[in-house]
Amino acid sequence: MSGGSGVWPWSITPPIVPVNIPVPDLAPWLAGNSGIPGIWTFAAAQPGPHLAISAIVHGNEIAGATVLDRWLRAGIRPARGTLSLVFVNLDAFAQFDPANPTASRFLDEDMNRLWDVDTLEGKRRSSELRRARELLPFLETVDLLGDLHSMLWDSDPLILAGETEKAARLGMAVGVPPLVVSDAGHVGGRRMIDHELFSDRATARAAVLIEAGLHWEPSTVARMELAAARLLRHAGMAMPGQELVEDGDLPRPRRARVTRTVTVRSRSFAFLRDFRGGEVIPLRNTLIAMDGEEEIRTPHDNCLLIMPTPIVHRGHTAVRLAQFID
């Protein structure tokens, strides 16, 4: 989940959420075949783009790992170009325990807040930074990236596209989930999709983050697999006859743009009531939360709430406020 934290403050407890999907056995895939652990790369004879589908940037978001495990066992290969399936935070995933599933989001720090040049080239050390630095040369070869994520708090699934139009277009082409949100990310650090490799408007490289649903639900796995299959088809890389999930009758995707990211500044942030991600607040200037003495109000009519996080501490994102783009 992109709006929360993997380390819970001592004064609060995370929600108790059942794990309704089996933990995938990644032992056959840990070594990879690319020279980098956890990365499997398959090249077709016909040239084309390099598409990477990544999972477990957060070690407890096992639905994405389930999809990649399925594809590897099924022998999915690209019709053209190169397909890579990437298990990102292997060390955090190795600590996943269904009895305490929120504890292994990361080991030392959130791996999806590290993807800026200063951090990656700096002197700070952590398990997640070591892995990010190991992955960076691989990412430099990628043209299209679909990063699979899931959510702890109840919310409509969505695609996060960063700030570039090219990423928004990629999200709309995927169309699963059917909401594409352009946003500037988090104050606490840059996501993998925000790295300059993908955010540079002068290049065609593009990346999207797919928030497919609640962490440990079969419907989330199914939605992720459909999104990944549509990425493969969009890139013209689907192999005729391969058994991928069927589209069915999909709704037309919508776009929205974040107008304000609410970052908690006090130790006493609280929403006025329980809000659900995807909820639309009809009127401008509606009070939705208090951050200490500061009132958090909707900046415009028909304000879309993106992934509100009811348990959040200072310096982290509590909610993003967005406006639909017609």
Side-chain angles (χ1 to χ4, degrees):
M1 183 185 69
S2 298
S5 169
V7 178
W8 296 94
W10 66 270
S11 60
I12 58 177
T13 57
I16 298 172
V17 181
V19 177
N20 293 323
I21 58 176
V23 181
D25 177 12
L26 301 189
W29 319 124
L30 297 179
N33 71 345
S34 65
I36 302 175
I39 299 180
W40 288 80
T41 296
F42 306 100
Q46 183 179 348
H50 184 180
L51 167 65
I53 301 174
S54 56
I56 54 172
V57 166
H58 297 128
N60 66 333
E61 297 183 13
I62 65 173
T66 299
V67 172
L68 300 196
D69 174 58
R70 284 181 181 177
W71 281 27
L72 286 164
R73 293 180 190 277
I76 300 299
R77 299 292 185 269
R80 68 182 188 114
T82 301
L83 172 66
S84 291
L85 306 178
V86 186
F87 300 99
V88 178
N89 197 340
L90 294 172
D91 290 344
F93 171 80
Q95 301 300 314
F96 182 76
D97 179 0
N100 188 17
T102 60
S104 58
R105 178 175 165 87
F106 53 78
L107 296 185
D108 298 324
E109 59 181 324
D110 192 326
M111 193 165 180
N112 222 23
R113 304 292 185 271
L114 306 178
W115 297 92
D116 63 273
V117 173
D118 289 343
T119 299
L120 290 169
E121 295 183 356
K123 295 182 179 180
R124 194 169 86 240
R125 296 183 181 276
S126 69
S127 172
E128 279 74 23
L129 263 173
R130 177 198 60 76
R131 179 61 166 164
R133 290 162 179 156
E134 182 178 50
L135 292 176
L136 186 57
F138 162 79
L139 285 178
E140 291 171 346
T141 71
V142 171
D143 300 302
L144 300 171
L145 171 66
D147 189 20
L148 304 179
H149 286 253
S150 54
M151 299 178 276
L152 178 61
W153 306 100
D154 192 19
S155 175
D156 291 346
L158 51 90
I159 297 174
L160 294 171
E163 295 184 284
T164 65
E165 184 65 21
K166 61 183 179 179
R169 288 196 300 268
L170 176 61
M172 293 292 285
V174 174
V176 176
L179 174 63
V180 178
V181 178
S182 297
D183 74 319
H186 303 277
V187 171
R190 293 173 70 82
R191 302 163 299 196
M192 190 159 64
I193 66 166
D194 300 321
H195 191 281
E196 62 180 23
L197 289 168
F198 305 110
S199 61
D200 184 351
R201 290 175 170 82
T203 74
R205 291 177 173 180
V208 292
L209 187 159
I210 298 164
E211 293 279 11
L214 294 174
H215 282 330
W216 307 299
E217 293 296 329
S219 59
T220 300
V221 176
R223 192 174 293 112
M224 280 183 176
E225 188 165 18
L226 178 54
R230 288 179 63 84
L231 266 169
L232 197 66
R233 293 188 194 120
H234 171 69
M237 297 168 64
M239 186 78 76
Q242 282 187 335
E243 293 186 5
L244 291 170
V245 291
E246 295 298 323
D247 286 339
D249 188 14
L250 297 176
R252 181 178 179 180
R254 298 189 71 183
R255 283 189 63 181
R257 179 176 290 115
V258 169
T259 55
R260 181 184 175 187
T261 298
V262 178
T263 303
V264 174
R265 304 182 188 280
S266 76
R267 295 183 181 275
S268 57
F269 181 93
F271 287 101
L272 265 65
R273 63 171 176 84
D274 290 336
F275 289 102
R276 184 181 186 279
E279 185 171 345
V280 176
I281 308 301
L283 298 179
R284 176 184 177 276
N285 207 37
T286 299
L287 182 65
I288 61 170
M290 295 295 298
D291 190 359
E293 298 299 317
E294 180 188 358
E295 295 183 343
I296 307 299
R297 294 181 176 271
T298 54
H300 43 73
D301 291 345
N302 297 319
C303 184
L304 174 66
L305 304 186
I306 303 296
M307 298 174 64
T309 304
I311 299 177
V312 63
H313 53 289
R314 190 163 55 182
H316 291 266
T317 302
V319 65
R320 281 158 279 190
L321 309 177
Q323 193 168 34
F324 287 108
I325 303 172
D326 294 328

